[in-house]
Amino acid sequence: MHLKTPADELADIRAEIARLRKREAELRAAYLGNPELPKIGRWHKVELKTLRQRVFEPRLLPEEIRLDPAYMREKVTRVLRTSRVPVQAVDGAELPLPRPTPRARLFAGLSLH
């Protein structure tokens, strides 16, 4: 088993979540598009319910109200992004940067399993 840094683990988790969301969308489309698809499995069942609710549409308000600062508030969001690490060239071949040593387990008190 390879020791993963928190950054690598976060990127891997996000990739797995993206894969699962894609598969969920495929299955959802299949169920919505084919009413004959079996809805009872070995351990779970699928139910399709139609819900209706009233939704407030601020874009329908007059512009002088929508743009009035008295009706606005500031929202602060912190975004954590992941990206691939650049590679190093070694003897003309590109290799990934070296992985941290096992001592790198202590990332500001994070415990890695």
Side-chain angles (χ1 to χ4, degrees), residues 9-19 79-82:
E9 185 178 7
L10 179 61
D12 289 348
I13 289 169
R14 287 180 173 180
E16 181 68 5
I17 290 170
R19 184 191 69 76
V79 178
L80 190 62
R81 299 188 196 281
T82 58

Side-chain angles (χ1 to χ4, degrees), residues 31 39-46:
Y31 273 110
K39 292 179 179 57
I40 299 177
R42 188 171 180 183
W43 297 287
H44 299 90
K45 68 179 179 176
V46 171

Side-chain angles (χ1 to χ4, degrees), residues 16-31:
E16 181 68 5
I17 290 170
R19 184 191 69 76
L20 291 170
R21 282 190 176 139
K22 180 180 181 227
R23 182 62 181 147
E24 179 190 20
E26 293 168 354
L27 291 169
R28 184 178 192 282
Y31 273 110

